[in-house]
Amino acid sequence: PAHHLHPGRSVKVVNGNIALAYGSLRAILKRNNVESELRRAARHEKKGYKRRRLRSERWRRLFADQAR
């Protein structure tokens, strides 16, 4: 379900409250898994490791839905 993803990475600063805007930006980036993607893109990932990671992420997602 990609309905919670934001296409851009910008937020509005309301009444000069930069701390609130920064917090909401960090929340958006965390929801979109930007930090983990950057960490993964820093180094090459072998095909087998990638396949194993994707399988594990898929399993975690499915199990999390069943656990709720």
Side-chain angles (χ1 to χ4, degrees):
H3 62 275
H4 66 278
L5 300 179
H6 292 271
R9 295 185 181 104
S10 59
V11 292
K12 290 186 179 180
V13 178
V14 181
N15 296 331
N17 194 347
I18 296 173
L20 182 66
Y22 182 71
S24 62
L25 178 65
R26 295 284 299 172
I28 290 171
L29 294 177
K30 187 163 180 66
R31 241 190 333 242
N32 290 348
N33 298 321
V34 172
E35 194 173 332
S36 61
E37 286 179 16
L38 281 174
R39 247 185 284 117
R40 262 191 305 243
R43 292 176 158 260
H44 175 71
E45 188 175 23
K46 286 186 175 179
K47 197 186 315 185
Y49 288 113
K50 181 179 180 181
R51 206 169 26 234
R52 187 181 309 157
R53 178 182 54 80
L54 291 175
R55 189 181 315 137
S56 173
E57 289 174 1
R58 216 174 296 125
W59 175 259
R60 283 192 194 123
R61 250 192 327 270
L62 288 170
F63 183 75
D65 286 344
Q66 292 173 359
R68 288 182 209 158

